[in-house]
Amino acid sequence: MSVAEAPADCIVQHRVRVRGVVQGVGFRPWVWRLAQAHALRGWVRNDSDGVDMLLQGTPADMAVFARALRSEPPPLARIDDVCWTDAAPEPLRAEFVILESAQRSAARTAIGADSAVCPDCLAEMFDPAARRWRYAFSNCTHCGPRYTITRGIPYDRARTSMAAFPMCPACTAEYADPGDRRFHAEPIACPTCGPRLSWLDAHGHLQDCTDALQAVVAALRAGAIVAIKGLGGFHLACDARNGDAVQRLRQRKQREMKPFALMLANLHSIESLTLLDADARAQLQASARPIVLLRKRGGVDALLPGVCDGMARLGVMLPYTPLHYLLFHEYAGRPAGSTWLDTFDSPALVMTSANPCGEPLVADNAEAVRRLGDIADALLVHDRAIVVRCDDSVLQHAGGQMQFIRRARGYVPRAIRLQADGPVVLAVGAHLKNTLCITRGDEAFISQHIGTLDNAATRAMFDEVAQHLLGLLQVQPVVLAHDLHPDFHSTRYAQALAARLAVPCIAVQHHHAHIAAVAAEHRHAGPLLGLALDGVGLGMDGGVWGGELLRIEGVHCERIDHLRALALPGGDRAAREPWRMAAAALAAMGHGDTIARRFAEQPHAPAVQRWLNSGATIPGTSSLGRWFDAAAGLLGVCAAMDFEAEAAMRLEALALRHGPARPWHDGYRITRDGLDLLPALQHLRGATDVAEAAARFHATLAAALVAWSLQAAQAHDLGVIALGGGCLLNTVLATTLRAQLTAHGLHVLEAQQVPPNDGGLSLGQAWVARQHPTSIH
């Protein structure tokens, strides 16, 4: 029975509130179609709380609608909560309609993340008869930019950077048609009314060319370096198979050794360079389109000279914007249709973030000319403003599961659900790999990767992101949280803001935050054992920590034990020059008189030898990262690092090349001074097979950490262990730890929704601050 045929007393009316990622994802037209299909009347609209609707119909139709609402949402939607209430009786409406957005006092909804172009839009782009044939800004409610173009909510065109582009009559008709997939697609555009590409020389002068895409591909084929404007910033691109072009990019960007990521058109081409399994395929093709680190096939370094020499993995990604796809379409000769995409032998394009000298991503056209003119030979720009800088996300395989290295585009501002409601906290992260975290209700919103806060430009971005996220979420913090280190920019920012707002400001020890981040995303409330393994963090005793066993229960953190400390000859310099850590290890073994001879190519080796042998007090560290450096230095793998964790990554690559190995049974000691790994380094001192030595070092380290953790778990009656810290990005170590700790009966928690490194610290800080007595009361 339809609603028109039903007696008045058989009609029920409900108000329905839906919260989650339900704006900018085609949710209202989907509800409209659903209501039409089930003979319901009423209305649906966006507001700051999510999606609000009035439904009028029979109980049977309402029940079918309710089931579909939960089970069949649009592909980019995420429903967190549906609240049904009986509505005050209203006259029966003539139909079901979509209303204009309504602004409420405070936001509780969320903007969706940027999403890769969908198959329907691709089909139009590659159809010569379609009006968006080869248009570089095609999108619909199922794809396209969201976070990076949005200034505020409700998510409407007027609050995005698309407000500068009035819609033409054809786009207006699509935008207004509930049956069209572009209904209220806020970034809707076409060649008549939307953004346009421009081709500039390195000085910013507009070049006279009939087709910018054709000019880009010609330049890349000729070995040029091109700056390309994307969703959240610029990329620097070149032909990855052109060793001269790659080397010029390294020289100009001052990036001597750090690996580059590649973009290829399809999985077929990626599989020719890397080992692909089902999980990797799914992750590469997900709407977020992250960079995924995959094991290289043999001979890749010869095919791609200078891209990632000596590393075990290659970072690859698929195209995610229409512009990216059109570049490959141009390479392929502009075929009609989409079938070419699956079989095309794609060029490999270096696509590296355009952030010279460790500064934030370049996002503005004029800024690109100013900051990239000495790096790029030419620039491909467009006139749609980037509101929010957002780098590519990076993931890797870690023993059967995907693991974040950098969480940014495609995932931000996706919320992480917390165990319970609580106060609004702004947690400001640490100094390296900085992110921010804002809590609202039972959700935590982690910002995109900001970077290292050691220059004015990155600090300015830090401020921008904090203000933008607070504005987007429409909240004001009642608690601030920061790292224990007093000299970090993030610490000073939190303290100044807390003073201005007259709210509490809570310091959270670095490794407590690492473990708390894992507990937060797993919604673990009880006590647990934390194994924190990283490069550096200020300890509660003022020392440099990094290899810690902690007992954590909410705000309470007890340091149970730590790795034996190694001297830091040269302080921070020792963290950049592994040969110095190897020298410290040699001195600790009683072989200090061999340092100058062993490291004869290092001009400071004689002075370091004298210093270590003098008996002078040298600050030390319990950092596992520095033990990795010592091992790499002893094996001659890496004397000085060009980028963070290079030594450990090269050591891991050797271990992976060798394959599984037996631990040295005498490779560690658990003593009153902590877990001592010097016996393992003794084995490395005279090793001749470097790959085997690296593999056995990893196996011994894992065995030592497992034995150490099991002893502590038993002593403190703890059955849950959380693994945190940047060293957990070592897949050999992380995979072995997980398997062996689980086999011994411990419940293992690991970072899954945020990186285990400092990129996840802000979540841990927020989790601790929420439970602090100051916050509760």
Side-chain angles (χ1 to χ4, degrees):
M1 183 184 299
S2 72
V3 66
E5 299 168 334
D9 59 357
C10 291
I11 300 298
V12 295
Q13 301 194 38
H14 291 289
R15 287 293 289 274
V16 182
R17 161 69 56 197
V18 184
R19 296 186 179 93
V21 180
V22 289
Q23 293 188 15
V25 293
F27 201 85
R28 287 176 301 165
W30 173 76
V31 167
W32 178 83
R33 290 189 290 272
L34 200 60
Q36 300 277 359
H38 299 295
L40 300 182
R41 300 183 185 185
W43 50 260
V44 62
R45 68 184 177 192
N46 282 346
D47 63 20
S48 299
D49 217 20
V51 168
D52 185 23
M53 62 186 91
L54 169 71
L55 301 176
Q56 300 172 326
T58 66
D61 289 335
M62 204 76 74
V64 176
F65 176 93
R67 286 195 294 271
L69 185 67
R70 277 288 194 181
S71 62
E72 305 167 10
L76 297 184
R78 191 198 74 223
I79 296 176
D80 293 335
D81 181 54
V82 179
C83 179
W84 290 73
T85 57
D86 292 332
E90 290 188 21
L92 188 64
R93 292 187 170 249
E95 58 184 342
F96 193 89
V97 297
I98 298 174
L99 301 181
E100 290 297 314
S101 298
Q103 181 74 46
R104 292 169 62 95
S105 58
R108 288 200 59 185
T109 191
I111 297 299
D114 297 325
S115 177
V117 60
C118 71
D120 289 335
C121 286
L122 282 178
E124 290 179 344
M125 287 162 47
F126 300 139
D127 179 359
R131 73 186 188 96
R132 291 185 175 86
W133 157 248
R134 298 184 70 244
Y135 184 55
F137 303 92
S138 296
N139 68 85
C140 68
T141 53
H142 299 154
C143 68
R146 298 292 188 273
Y147 179 63
T148 53
I149 64 168
T150 301
R151 293 188 170 94
I153 57 173
Y155 173 68
D156 288 323
R157 190 178 182 93
R159 296 178 181 86
T160 74
S161 57
M162 288 302 296
F165 301 92
M167 288 181 281
C168 67
C171 286
T172 300
E174 292 172 330
Y175 185 87
D177 180 3
D180 195 288
R181 79 175 195 280
R182 290 192 170 92
F183 176 77
H184 280 251
E186 306 305 343
I188 187 174
C190 76
T192 302
C193 63
R196 299 185 179 186
L197 297 172
S198 297
W199 179 236
L200 311 179
D201 68 14
H203 303 291
H205 301 135
L206 183 66
Q207 298 300 288
D208 184 16
C209 67
T210 57
D211 191 314
L213 290 166
Q214 188 178 61
V216 171
V217 170
L220 291 170
R221 280 177 164 153
I225 298 166
V226 180
I228 299 175
K229 189 175 184 180
L231 278 183
F234 278 74
H235 283 117
L236 289 165
C238 71
D239 182 350
R241 291 185 170 89
N242 185 325
D244 290 340
V246 172
Q247 190 56 38
R248 274 187 286 110
L249 178 56
R250 289 202 175 279
Q251 291 170 348
R252 294 180 186 180
K253 199 183 177 189
Q254 298 176 34
R255 179 169 165 160
E256 186 176 345
M257 296 298 295
K258 190 174 182 180
F260 284 133
L262 305 185
M263 181 178 284
L264 296 103
N266 49 42
L267 292 177
H268 156 72
S269 299
I270 289 176
E271 195 162 23
S272 69
L273 302 174
T274 67
L275 303 177
L276 272 179
D277 63 14
D279 289 340
R281 289 171 181 272
Q283 205 64 59
L284 284 164
Q285 295 180 97
S287 63
R289 287 292 200 278
I291 297 169
V292 181
L293 301 190
L294 300 172
R295 288 285 301 275
K296 296 189 299 191
R297 291 188 181 275
V300 163
D301 286 351
L303 288 172
L304 307 171
V307 170
C308 56
D309 294 347
M311 296 295 167
R313 295 178 179 82
L314 174 66
V316 292
M317 60 179 157
L318 290 171
Y320 55 86
T321 68
L323 175 56
H324 295 148
Y325 275 102
L326 289 171
L327 288 176
F328 290 111
H329 188 239
E330 188 70 30
Y331 269 105
R334 303 186 187 180
S338 303
T339 55
W340 64 276
L341 262 174
D342 294 330
T343 56
F344 173 56
D345 288 327
S346 170
L349 298 179
V350 168
M351 282 280 182
T352 188
S353 304
N355 56 336
C357 303
E359 295 184 354
L361 271 176
V362 173
D364 176 77
N365 292 350
E367 178 191 19
V369 173
R370 186 175 69 253
R371 293 174 58 198
L372 303 179
D374 292 335
I375 302 175
D377 298 307
L379 299 90
L380 180 65
V381 303
H382 57 74
D383 53 354
R384 184 179 69 199
I386 295 171
V387 175
V388 183
R389 304 168 202 259
C390 199
D391 215 334
D392 294 317
S393 294
V394 184
L395 293 90
Q396 70 175 3
H397 266 294
Q401 67 183 43
M402 299 305 293
Q403 182 184 51
F404 277 104
I405 297 174
R406 182 171 73 202
R407 186 179 186 269
R409 180 194 50 75
Y411 298 94
V412 175
R414 189 179 300 176
I416 294 172
R417 297 298 296 272
L418 303 175
Q419 185 183 35
D421 205 337
V424 176
V425 176
L426 169 58
V428 297
H431 186 69
L432 302 175
K433 301 178 181 64
N434 182 266
T435 62
L436 302 166
C437 176
I438 298 171
T439 63
R440 187 186 69 183
D442 63 350
E443 296 177 313
F445 296 85
I446 317 297
S447 78
Q448 66 271 37
H449 168 85
I450 295 171
T452 300
L453 302 178
D454 57 2
N455 60 67
T458 310
R459 292 173 180 178
M461 180 181 172
F462 172 92
D463 295 350
E464 288 172 14
V465 172
Q467 294 309 309
H468 182 260
L469 261 184
L470 287 169
L472 205 61
L473 298 174
Q474 295 187 3
V475 295
Q476 180 168 292
V478 298
V479 183
L480 275 293
H482 60 82
D483 192 85
L484 191 60
H485 202 297
D487 297 329
F488 288 168
H489 171 77
S490 53
T491 297
R492 293 192 293 268
Y493 176 94
Q495 291 170 341
L497 181 58
R500 190 161 66 247
L501 298 176
V503 300
C505 193
I506 296 167
V508 182
Q509 197 277 326
H510 191 91
H511 302 95
H512 186 184
H514 270 311
I515 302 304
V518 179
E521 69 160 282
H522 287 277
R523 305 180 205 173
H524 180 84
L528 54 76
L529 179 65
L531 179 59
L533 307 170
D534 71 355
V536 62
L538 182 66
M540 289 178 282
D541 62 357
V544 181
W545 291 9
E548 316 301 320
L549 275 177
L550 308 172
R551 185 191 185 279
I552 289 176
E553 186 169 6
V555 73
H556 302 290
C557 176
E558 175 191 357
R559 189 190 197 195
I560 295 172
D561 207 350
H562 54 83
L563 295 183
R564 171 180 168 164
L566 270 180
L568 282 167
D572 288 345
R573 191 165 181 177
R576 299 189 299 271
E577 299 179 5
W579 75 266
R580 290 175 179 264
M581 295 310 304
L586 287 170
M589 295 176 204
H591 301 292
D593 57 344
T594 68
I595 293 169
R597 185 169 63 255
R598 190 177 187 105
F599 301 108
E601 73 284 0
Q602 301 296 334
H604 296 290
V608 169
Q609 176 174 311
R610 288 193 298 271
W611 190 15
L612 286 166
N613 290 342
S614 69
T617 300
I618 301 175
T621 177
S622 60
S623 163
L624 180 60
R626 302 293 78 80
W627 283 92
F628 271 114
D629 292 348
L634 286 170
L635 289 175
V637 171
C638 182
M641 291 190 282
D642 179 62
F643 59 92
E644 186 188 3
E646 179 185 0
M649 290 170 66
R650 293 193 179 280
L651 201 66
E652 181 194 12
L654 287 167
L656 285 167
R657 184 192 307 168
H658 180 274
R662 294 177 293 105
W664 291 300
H665 69 275
D666 58 349
Y668 65 91
R669 294 187 294 261
I670 301 175
T671 73
R672 293 176 60 183
D673 294 325
L675 177 60
D676 185 3
L677 300 172
L678 272 181
L681 298 191
Q682 287 274 21
H683 285 278
L684 301 183
R685 194 167 63 88
T688 54
D689 186 329
V690 175
E692 180 190 16
R696 296 197 71 178
F697 173 75
H698 278 79
T700 304
L701 174 59
L705 293 171
V706 167
W708 191 44
S709 300
L710 291 173
Q711 179 177 295
Q714 184 176 15
H716 293 267
D717 193 25
L718 297 170
V720 179
I721 183 169
L723 311 180
C727 292
L728 273 304
L729 290 174
N730 183 307
T731 58
V732 177
L733 177 62
T735 302
T736 309
L737 283 177
R738 181 191 313 124
Q740 294 187 9
L741 289 169
T742 301
H744 283 89
L746 288 181
H747 180 49
V748 179
L749 304 180
E750 297 176 272
Q752 295 174 341
Q753 298 184 70
V754 295
N757 60 26
D758 284 8
L761 272 182
S762 60
L763 174 61
Q765 292 170 350
W767 185 83
V768 173
R770 271 197 163 195
Q771 299 174 76
H772 196 278
T774 306
S775 306
I776 296 171
H777 301 296

